[in-house]
Amino acid sequence: MSVFDTLVGQEHLIAQLQGAIMSAKSGEETQEMTHAWVFTGPPGSGRSSAAVAFAQALVCPSLGCGTCNACLSAANGGHPDVEIIRTEGLSIKIDEVRELLARVAWAPSMGGWRVVVMEDADRLTESAANALLKAIEEPGNRTVWLLCAPTLHDVLPTIRSRCRHMQLVTPSTKDVAAVLQSRDGISPQMADFAARVSQGHIGRAKYIAINEHVRSNRKVIMNLALHLTNVADAFKAAQTLVDLATDDAKAAVEIRDEKEQEELAQAYGKGATGRGMATGGSKALKELEKEQKTRTTRMVRDSLDAALLDIATLYRDIMMIQSGHVDSLINIEMAEEIRTLATILPTHRTIQKLDAIMKARKNLGFNAAPLLTIEALMCELV
C-alpha cells in the first residue's frame, strides 16, 4: 500500500514524486528534489491529494506507506512537521500568512522535513502572496512548500517561477467509477452515473453517489435548464438556483456555526460561576461570526458554480449530438430531451450558451452578486 494509491490516473506525476522522495531520503543534492512545488489541475483531478500524499511520503520512515503514525497524522493535520492550509473564506489574507511563516521558521521536530501544503494558493491576496514570496525565495534548509491552484496563471508569476510545476489531468470516467466501486462500495450502475455527471471529479462523484438529496437537486437544476421558454421562466429559474444553493449552504454550516460560537464563548469564560465572558470575548465572537458569514458566502458561490457546471453538461451534450458524436453523452438519462433540443437549437446558439455559462462562472469568481449574475445568465439561455 502507498499514499499515492489514491491518485487516480496520475501515473506520470507519481513517478516524478517518488523520484524526488528517494532523492530527499538519500540526502544527496540532485535535480529531482526542490524546496517549492506547485500542483495544478482541473477541479477534482486531485491536486491537493497529490500534495498531501507527497507531504506524507516526505515525513514517513517507509517512503509513504500510508499506514504508519507519521502518514496518518500528516493526512489529518496532526503531524508537528506538516502544515495543511485550507481556507473556507474567499481569500487568504496577509495576517494568516505571517502567522504561518512564524510557525514554519522552526526546524523539523521529528527529523526529515517541515512541509507546508497550501490547498488554495489561488486565493492569496496580493499582499499575502508577496509575503509568501519572501519565504519561498529564502527557504529553510529542511522546509518544503507545496502550493495548489487550478492553473499556473492563478499563482503570482514571481512565486510560480520559483516552483517546480506538477500538472495533473482529469481522471477518466472509467477510472473514477472503478475507484468508487473498489474503495467506497458503490454499485456499478451508481458509480458509472456519478463518474459521468461529476466529469471526473472524484470527490464530487462520491458525494453524488452517496447523497440522494444532491442527486434530487441536480435533477431539479437540469429540468430548469431544459424548460426555459421565456424571460419569466428565466427569473424563476434563477431564484430557484440561488435558493437551492443558499439552503444547502445554511444546512451545512448551521450546526457547525453554533458549536463554534459556543466553544469560543466557553473559552472566554461564559457560564463560569459568578462572571461573564473575559475581556475580548465579545470582539472575538464578532470576528468569528464575520468569518462564518464569509464561509457561508463561499459555500453558496461554490454550490452555484457546481450547478452551472451541471447545466453546461446539457449544452455540451447538445453540441456533441450536433457534431455527430452521439456515443459520448454525459447525461445519458436525458438523451431523448437532449436530441430534441439538438434539432431545434442552432449550433452557434449552443456555443453562445456555453460561453454565457462560463462567463457567469467567471463573474461569480469575481464576487459578482449571485442572483443578478444567475438572472442575467438564465435570460441568455432562453
Side-chain angles (χ1 to χ4, degrees):
M1 184 177 178
S2 167
V3 292
F4 297 113
D5 290 345
T6 58
L7 303 184
V8 181
Q10 311 298 337
E11 289 74 15
H12 65 293
L13 178 139
I14 293 172
Q16 294 181 61
L17 294 181
Q18 288 177 329
I21 292 161
M22 294 297 293
S23 174
K25 296 294 184 180
S26 70
E28 299 178 6
E29 291 191 12
T30 69
Q31 294 296 317
E32 292 180 292
M33 185 62 193
T34 186
H35 73 285
W37 305 68
V38 57
F39 294 80
T40 66
S45 59
R47 52 182 183 260
S48 59
S49 297
V52 171
F54 189 26
Q56 289 175 280
L58 284 171
V59 299
C60 173
S62 303
L63 308 182
C65 65
T67 57
C68 69
N69 183 61
C71 283
L72 296 176
S73 59
N76 61 29
H79 196 287
D81 293 333
V82 178
E83 291 264 359
I84 301 178
I85 310 302
R86 299 182 174 103
T87 180
E88 294 178 323
L90 299 174
S91 62
I92 301 175
K93 298 179 175 60
I94 188 170
D95 290 342
E96 299 172 69
V97 172
R98 284 173 176 164
E99 290 176 10
L100 170 65
L101 296 180
R103 293 196 301 271
V104 302
W106 311 327
S109 60
M110 297 177 67
W113 300 86
R114 179 170 289 280
V115 189
V116 182
V117 178
M118 184 171 289
E119 292 193 352
D120 299 288
D122 54 307
R123 294 184 182 272
L124 286 162
T125 63
E126 185 175 354
S127 56
N130 287 326
L132 180 62
L133 172 63
K134 184 173 178 59
I136 292 178
E137 284 180 326
E138 303 171 4
N141 289 334
R142 307 294 289 177
T143 301
V144 180
W145 293 88
L146 309 178
L147 311 181
C148 306
T151 71
L152 271 181
H153 297 292
D154 295 311
V155 182
L156 196 70
T158 46
I159 290 180
R160 67 177 185 245
S161 66
R162 289 163 174 79
C163 298
R164 180 165 298 169
H165 181 209
M166 304 300 286
Q167 174 70 53
L168 284 82
V169 297
T170 301
S172 69
T173 298
K174 183 179 178 181
D175 287 342
V176 174
V179 168
L180 293 180
Q181 293 177 62
S182 61
R183 185 191 67 187
D184 304 310
I186 306 297
S187 69
Q189 184 178 3
M190 181 57 72
D192 175 69
F193 168 77
R196 275 190 288 107
V197 301
S198 68
Q199 302 175 73
H201 191 307
I202 300 173
R204 180 160 172 77
K206 180 181 177 180
Y207 190 52
I208 291 170
I210 65 175
N211 196 320
E212 172 63 32
H213 176 69
V214 173
R215 297 196 297 274
S216 177
N217 275 1
R218 185 181 189 277
K219 190 173 182 179
V220 170
I221 291 165
M222 299 301 282
N223 282 327
L224 286 174
L226 277 172
H227 300 105
L228 288 174
T229 58
N230 53 54
V231 173
D233 288 341
F235 279 91
K236 289 178 183 177
Q239 188 65 61
T240 300
L241 281 183
V242 173
D243 288 345
L244 284 174
T246 304
D247 291 344
D248 283 349
K250 287 182 177 179
V253 302
E254 189 172 5
I255 296 175
R256 181 178 174 184
D257 285 356
E258 290 178 2
K259 184 179 179 182
E260 288 176 346
Q261 291 173 19
E262 183 179 345
E263 290 176 348
L264 182 62
Q266 289 176 352
Y268 275 90
K270 184 178 180 180
T273 304
R275 60 179 298 178
M277 284 193 295
T279 303
S282 296
K283 181 179 179 181
L285 276 175
K286 288 181 180 178
E287 287 295 322
L288 175 61
E289 289 170 0
K290 183 179 178 181
E291 290 175 8
Q292 290 174 339
K293 185 177 179 181
T294 300
R295 181 170 64 198
T296 303
T297 299
R298 176 177 171 181
M299 291 184 71
V300 170
R301 294 180 187 277
D302 288 348
S303 183
L304 282 172
D305 187 67
L308 296 188
L309 280 174
D310 285 335
I311 294 173
T313 66
L314 171 67
Y315 292 102
R316 177 261 185 201
D317 284 350
I318 291 172
M319 189 165 61
M320 295 301 287
I321 289 177
Q322 290 174 334
S323 60
H325 296 81
V326 296
D327 297 326
S328 56
L329 299 186
I330 291 175
N331 301 287
I332 295 173
E333 298 76 13
M334 304 168 63
E336 187 177 340
E337 295 96 323
I338 290 170
R339 287 192 182 94
T340 301
L341 279 174
T343 60
I344 298 172
L345 194 65
T347 303
H348 73 277
R349 282 292 293 145
T350 306
I351 297 172
Q352 287 174 354
K353 292 186 179 190
L354 274 171
D355 287 343
I357 293 171
M358 296 304 113
K359 181 181 176 182
R361 292 184 63 215
K362 185 176 181 180
N363 289 339
L364 285 174
F366 289 145
N367 297 332
L371 182 57
L372 290 175
T373 302
I374 303 302
E375 284 177 345
L377 170 63
M378 289 300 156
C379 287
E380 290 191 61
L381 296 184
V382 171

